[in-house]
């Protein structure tokens, strides 16, 4: 159990009401919980961009499997990357389109590097990287 500190925050009424409105329906018991999540995410994202600490990246790629050698190119990049590929999932979305979800782990800068290469590969229609870190305990 962590010791809780209370602190006061001043902000414009319309900003606060916009915030309350935006977290409405997200399942938070109260405003403090939502603010705690924002602070944790801020700290994780700071860690993620530092480069030298270990982070986890989840990359999603949507592509047309008919593009010549694209699956091979993407697999080859993962084999050669300086990160650990923990898992990858391939879903055939429809007749031609595939979704690939790849979980990678490594230094923040390397995770960004390989994710950027995968996403920028010719033929990938849409790619996203979500980063997180296991090291923030609170
Ligand atoms: Ni497929």
């Amino acid at each position: 159990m962590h010791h809780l500190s209370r602190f006061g925050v001043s902000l414009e009424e319309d900003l606060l009401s916009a915030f309350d409105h935006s977290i409405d329906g997200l399942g938070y018991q109260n405003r403090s919980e939502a603010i705690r999540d924002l602070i944790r995410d801020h700290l994780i994202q700071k860690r993620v961009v530092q480069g030298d600490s270990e982070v986890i990246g989840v990359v999603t790629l949507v592509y047309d499997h008919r593009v010549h050698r694209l699956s091979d190119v993407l697999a080859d990049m993962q084999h050669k990357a300086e990160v650990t590929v923990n898992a990858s999932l391939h879903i055939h979305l429809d007749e031609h389109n595939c979704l690939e979800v790849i979980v990678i782990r490594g230094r923040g800068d390397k995770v960004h590097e390989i994710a950027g290469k995968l996403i920028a590969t010719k033929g990938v229609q849409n790619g996203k990287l979500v980063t997180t870190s296991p090291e923030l305990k609170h």
Side-chain angles (χ1 to χ4, degrees):
M1 188 71 188
H2 300 287
H3 179 73
L4 293 177
S5 292
R6 286 178 178 277
F7 65 100
V9 178
S10 308
L11 66 164
E12 293 81 357
E13 252 174 49
D14 54 347
L15 185 60
L16 184 59
S17 109
F19 180 72
D20 285 343
H21 192 71
S22 81
I23 62 170
D24 200 34
L26 294 182
Y28 288 113
Q29 296 295 312
N30 52 56
R31 190 188 280 152
S32 293
E33 265 187 27
I35 292 171
R36 280 196 283 270
D37 264 6
L38 284 178
I39 292 174
R40 283 190 202 103
D41 190 55
H42 167 78
L43 294 171
I44 287 172
Q45 293 314 313
K46 268 197 92 165
R47 180 189 294 278
V48 162
V49 296
Q50 275 167 355
D52 57 347
S53 51
E54 187 180 76
V55 303
I56 294 159
V58 181
V59 185
T60 59
L61 304 170
V62 174
Y63 62 91
D64 185 329
H65 72 93
R66 290 171 302 177
V67 175
H68 183 62
R69 288 198 66 246
L70 182 54
S71 304
D72 288 344
V73 170
L74 294 174
D76 195 50
M77 275 184 197
Q78 294 174 60
H79 280 284
K80 289 177 179 157
E82 294 172 69
V83 296
T84 306
V85 178
N86 284 141
S88 77
L89 170 73
H90 185 109
I91 296 164
H92 311 302
L93 293 176
D94 55 34
E95 208 180 332
H96 302 302
N97 293 302
C98 304
L99 166 68
E100 211 154 300
V101 182
I102 305 159
V103 180
I104 53 182
R105 194 167 183 151
R107 284 171 48 110
D109 51 353
K110 299 295 176 193
V111 165
H112 277 91
E113 190 183 314
I114 178 69
K117 279 185 189 167
L118 289 166
I119 291 167
T121 302
K122 194 166 185 285
V124 172
Q125 297 155 16
N126 184 244
K128 290 271 181 279
L129 167 67
V130 174
T131 45
T132 188
S133 166
E135 292 174 43
L136 199 70
K137 302 289 187 224
H138 305 286

